[in-house]
């Protein structure tokens, strides 16, 4: 096996249930880099959140962010795929009409949201968008600023409430439930798998030289885009059915354990 790129989803995959990175991950990434293998966090999170989270090794990584709408190599942006302005504005208007629903949009310089009184939404937004700004009128902001993703929040009911509510958008946007609380809108066809294609082109490698890990249905295209796909034991059943392999859960350090086993790397 000649793997040159490893991509791993964050929540439910690389991070444990307490949202912690695995012990020894940075050392493992150093070892992989010495062997000519790049590591890519692949997440619905914004670039700035991921870059900050990886601290001292941030510049060594490649990043799949905003469910594939943003791709970076260290501090260099490779791609930013903006949604049509009219589509973004229509989605914000619908959010405003739905009780208990909030939104945060992703632009080049961070996340933006308007006044919200729901502390759970604000806490979730802070977790996924470390660089975020409150604006008085999100609709007006989106008329003038390119947006690559609209993340819509409905606590514990994303699949039940948001998918039916946004059904009409399915023909003009990519709709993905990215967790129990969130649904993301991006440009049609944008997903983590498309980002793998962009990274392969940038790194001059093939999809067969890529390995990926995921747990939820927003990781489906990611796993389909690589030669070696792993679904987490704690993952969605449909994703596990689509993956080539099943690995231990996120609380069992499944990603790092599998990488060490495949590459014959002893734990430091």
């Amino acid at each position: 096996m000649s793997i040159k790129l490893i991509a791993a989803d964050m929540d439910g995959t690389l991070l444990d249930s307490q949202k912690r990175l695995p012990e020894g991950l940075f050392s493992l990434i150093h070892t992989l880099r010495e062997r000519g293998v790049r590591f890519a966090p692949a997440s619905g999170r914004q670039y700035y959140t991921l870059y900050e989270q990886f601290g001292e090794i941030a510049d060594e990584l490649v990043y799949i962010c905003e469910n594939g709408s943003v791709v970076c190599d260290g501090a260099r942006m490779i791609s930013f795929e903006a949604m049509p302005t009219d589509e973004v504005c229509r989605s914000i208007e619908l959010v405003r009409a739905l009780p208990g629903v909030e939104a945060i949009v992703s632009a080049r310089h961070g996340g933006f949201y308007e006044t919200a009184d729901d502390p759970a939404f604000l806490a979730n937004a802070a977790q996924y968008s470390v660089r975020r700004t409150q604006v008085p009128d999100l609709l007006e902001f989106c008329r003038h600023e390119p947006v690559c993703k609209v993340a819509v929040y409905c606590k514990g009911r994303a699949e039940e409430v948001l998918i039916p509510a946004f059904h009409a958008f399915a023909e003009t946007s990519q709709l993905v439930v990215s967790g129990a609380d969130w649904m993301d809108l991006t440009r049609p066809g944008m997903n983590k798998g498309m980002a793998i294609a962009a990274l392969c082109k940038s790194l001059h490698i093939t999809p067969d030289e890529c390995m990926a890990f995921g747990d939820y249905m927003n990781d489906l295209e990611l796993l389909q885009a690589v030669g070696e796909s792993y679904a987490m034991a704690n993952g969605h059943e449909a994703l596990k059915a689509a993956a080539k392999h099943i690995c231990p859960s996120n609380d069992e350090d499944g990603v790092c354990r599998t990488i060490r086993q495949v590459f014959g790397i002893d734990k430091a």
Side-chain angles (χ1 to χ4, degrees), residues 3-22:
I3 297 297
K4 302 293 179 60
L5 173 67
I6 301 173
D9 171 58
M10 294 290 284
D11 295 280
T13 302
L14 188 62
L15 302 178
D16 66 16
S17 296
Q18 304 303 312
K19 306 297 184 184
R20 298 174 299 196
L21 288 169

Side-chain angles (χ1 to χ4, degrees), residues 215-245:
D215 76 302
Y216 215 77
M217 294 311 293
N218 63 329
D219 300 317
L220 178 61
E221 293 87 357
L222 172 67
L223 299 196
Q224 291 173 333
V226 302
E228 296 296 320
S229 59
Y230 290 82
M232 311 304 292
N234 55 288
H236 195 291
E237 290 303 318
L239 190 74
K240 289 194 279 189
K244 189 174 180 179
H245 310 282

Side-chain angles (χ1 to χ4, degrees), residues 34-170:
E34 290 171 356
R35 298 188 182 192
V37 182
R38 301 295 301 275
F39 188 86
S43 177
R45 296 172 184 236
Q46 68 171 206
Y47 165 70
Y48 302 103
T49 301
L50 294 173
Y51 190 88
E52 181 177 292
Q53 192 163 13
F54 283 89
E56 65 191 69
I57 65 166
D59 288 328
E60 296 184 31
L61 305 181
V62 285
Y63 298 89
I64 296 171
C65 319
E66 310 287 13
N67 284 336
S69 295
V70 176
V71 179
C72 298
D73 187 342
R76 180 173 65 90
M77 185 171 288
I78 295 173
S79 65
F80 178 94
E81 300 290 343
M83 298 174 64
T85 300
D86 289 349
E87 187 81 346
V88 174
C89 292
R90 283 202 309 126
S91 70
I92 299 305
E93 288 172 344
L94 179 54
V95 165
R96 287 175 168 179
L98 296 171
V101 175
E102 304 283 356
I104 181 167
V105 303
S106 299
R108 287 183 181 272
H109 303 295
F112 295 82
Y113 66 99
E114 61 187 11
T115 303
D117 297 323
D118 184 348
F121 164 72
L122 295 173
N124 267 268
Q127 179 179 336
Y128 295 108
S129 297
V130 67
R131 183 181 291 188
R132 62 197 181 282
T133 303
Q134 185 180 44
V135 294
D137 187 334
L138 189 59
L139 189 58
E140 184 63 22
F141 172 86
C142 293
R143 290 190 177 113
H144 303 286
E145 186 74 24
V147 167
C148 68
K149 187 182 77 175
V150 180
V152 187
Y153 173 86
C154 183
K155 184 172 177 57
R157 305 179 69 198
E159 196 161 3
E160 175 187 351
V161 172
L162 299 180
I163 290 295
F166 282 83
H167 176 75
F169 284 78

